Amino acid sequence: MATNITVDESVTVVNVDGSTSVSSGSTIITIANDQGAQGPTGAKGDTGATGPTGPTGPTGATGATGTTGATGAKGDTGTQGIQGIQGIQGDTGPTGSTGATGATGATGPTGPTGLTGATGQGYTGRGTWSSGTAYSAYDVVYYDVSGNSYQCTTATTAGIVPTNASYWTIISAGWSAPYPHDSTLLYGVGQTVTYSGSSYYCYLATPGTGASYLPTNTSYWIKVSSKGDTGSTGATGPTAPVYPPFASQGYYRTPLQYSATAVAQNINTAFFTPFYVSASTTFDQIGVVASTVAATPACTVRLGIYTDNYGVPGTLSLDAGTVSIGLLAATPTSFSITISKTLTSGWYWLTAKQETGSASNTFICTGNQSTVSGLQRMAIPPNVYVANAFQQSGLSAGAFPSTATPSLTGGQVMITWIRAA
């Protein structure tokens, strides 16, 4: 088997027989490589001299990264390098959120006192105007002829009346009805009050309340009337009659001036009987005594109590309502209404009227029921045989009138009674 080798440079060929030949240019060398039998191994020749270094071959592929070696010891700090040039300014960042409010700082020192303001114009209250007094500007007076208050605008001589507009100006017209002074209220011009028994007129509105603006402060008030002196003690009045108190559960009736008699009574005529209460007493029943009563029409009697008005029945104190009275045949019988009425010390009048029924119905009666303070009041000159009583006729069925208007006439009254609780 032969191998051809092409050589582009000059080569030296060593032939088998030991001769050499030089070829230049492209030379094709054919080597016959027919293999013969292997000869014996020759002795090792001497090491030849090192040939010249061949050209650097191309860089081989990068090998795989080796494992990181151990960190070496820290070297010494080098010298500081020179400062670099300043970079350009960056963009402004976004505004941050507001921070928490800081603690209040200590109070600073008090500033200097300001200048005193100019003195304001005041007013002088001079009370009620007097014809004998000269007045100065800003004096204030009350003029009782007109009932108004005036301020002096130009100094006057005595006798110049407040209605003279060249010297005076009106500051309030009239005044309000006086009421007790209240220190918690503000008052305006024209208001009048009473204080400690005297009356005062407000001629300048009060800017505040309390003790500084009482009516005795003449910067705002004028006294228009003074408390009168205490009068002398009056003569001692007569001693009140002494009457025993009412006994508990005791019954007390109209006193008999004549013998008790069954007498017919007109419909809707009220009869009055006086009685005296010596101490506060509560009463629980009030009644009347009937004698002969027809079955029809049905009979009712209204009972009540009036106060006294100087010996005459006065205002209604109790309307107890009505009591029904059934058929009676000359049989005196008591009929009552349950009440709860407390009367204080003084004179009162029991009253009764037949409200419905027959005018022929009879009730147990007696005369002369106009007695107060032990003496009998008469409608005519005294006559022991004349019966007198307070009556009020012409009433309607229903409640008693709030004020009695009786007349003193001859006649007899129904016996009424009351019980103490």
Side-chain angles (χ1 to χ4, degrees):
M1 181 176 186
T3 302
N4 294 325
I5 301 172
T6 303
V7 179
D8 290 331
E9 297 182 358
S10 297
V11 295
T12 301
V13 179
V14 180
N15 298 316
V16 174
D17 60 4
S19 63
T20 63
S21 61
V22 176
S23 299
S24 61
S26 294
T27 304
I28 298 174
I29 303 174
T30 301
I31 301 176
N33 58 357
D34 292 338
Q35 183 175 354
Q38 182 175 346
T41 301
K44 180 178 180 181
D46 295 330
T47 303
T50 303
T53 303
T56 303
T59 301
T62 302
T65 302
T67 59
T68 303
T71 303
K74 181 178 180 181
D76 296 333
T77 302
T79 59
Q80 182 175 341
I82 62 174
Q83 181 175 341
I85 62 174
Q86 181 174 342
I88 62 174
Q89 181 174 343
D91 296 333
T92 302
T95 302
S97 58
T98 303
T101 303
T104 303
T107 302
T110 302
T113 302
L115 299 175
T116 301
T119 302
Q121 176 59 56
Y123 295 86
T124 303
R126 301 294 299 276
T128 302
W129 179 83
S130 171
S131 61
T133 302
Y135 293 95
S136 301
Y138 299 104
D139 283 352
V140 175
V141 299
Y142 166 69
Y143 188 40
D144 54 3
V145 174
S146 65
N148 301 327
S149 290
Y150 298 82
Q151 176 222 315
C152 182
T153 56
T154 302
T156 74
T157 56
I160 297 179
V161 296
T163 52
N164 186 329
S166 297
Y167 297 90
W168 301 91
T169 182
I170 189 170
I171 60 174
S172 69
W175 61 66
S176 62
Y179 291 95
H181 179 264
D182 186 340
S183 63
T184 65
L185 299 178
L186 295 173
Y187 287 90
V189 174
Q191 290 186 283
T192 55
V193 298
T194 58
Y195 182 71
S196 296
S198 299
S199 296
Y200 295 83
Y201 172 82
C202 182
Y203 70 88
L204 187 63
T206 59
T209 60
S212 298
Y213 303 99
L214 294 176
T216 50
N217 185 333
T218 56
S219 295
Y220 303 95
W221 299 91
I222 296 172
K223 182 186 286 188
V224 294
S225 66
S226 298
K227 179 181 179 180
D229 296 331
T230 302
S232 57
T233 303
T236 302
T239 303
V242 178
Y243 292 87
F246 290 87
S248 178
Q249 303 299 302
Y251 291 85
Y252 297 86
R253 69 172 189 180
T254 304
L256 299 179
Q257 297 297 323
Y258 293 142
S259 300
T261 306
V263 179
Q265 299 291 347
N266 295 329
I267 303 298
N268 285 320
T269 295
F271 298 87
F272 300 89
T273 299
F275 69 105
Y276 185 78
V277 178
S278 60
S280 180
T281 305
T282 299
F283 299 91
D284 61 7
Q285 288 186 33
I286 187 171
V288 65
V289 181
S291 178
T292 300
V293 176
T296 57
C299 176
T300 59
V301 176
R302 183 172 294 272
L303 301 171
I305 301 173
Y306 277 83
T307 62
D308 179 71
N309 182 27
Y310 297 100
V312 178
T315 58
L316 184 66
S317 178
L318 171 69
D319 188 326
T322 60
V323 59
S324 297
I325 301 176
L327 176 65
L328 291 175
T331 306
T333 305
S334 186
F335 296 88
S336 65
I337 300 172
T338 299
I339 61 173
S340 178
K341 180 64 178 179
T342 299
L343 300 177
T344 57
S345 176
W347 282 98
Y348 296 89
W349 295 78
L350 290 173
T351 183
K353 70 168 178 171
Q354 182 181 199
E355 196 161 277
T356 62
S358 171
S360 62
N361 291 339
T362 62
F363 296 83
I364 303 303
C365 299
T366 187
N368 297 338
Q369 292 309 302
S370 57
T371 301
V372 176
S373 301
L375 295 177
Q376 178 186 345
R377 182 172 175 177
M378 306 292 291
I380 57 177
N383 184 323
V384 294
Y385 299 108
V386 175
N388 289 278
F390 280 112
Q391 304 177 23
Q392 184 171 343
S393 59
L395 298 177
S396 301
F400 286 117
S402 59
T403 301
T405 56
S407 59
L408 185 60
T409 61
Q412 300 190 61
V413 299
M414 291 185 282
I415 290 180
T416 51
W417 56 268
I418 197 168
R419 189 181 81 164

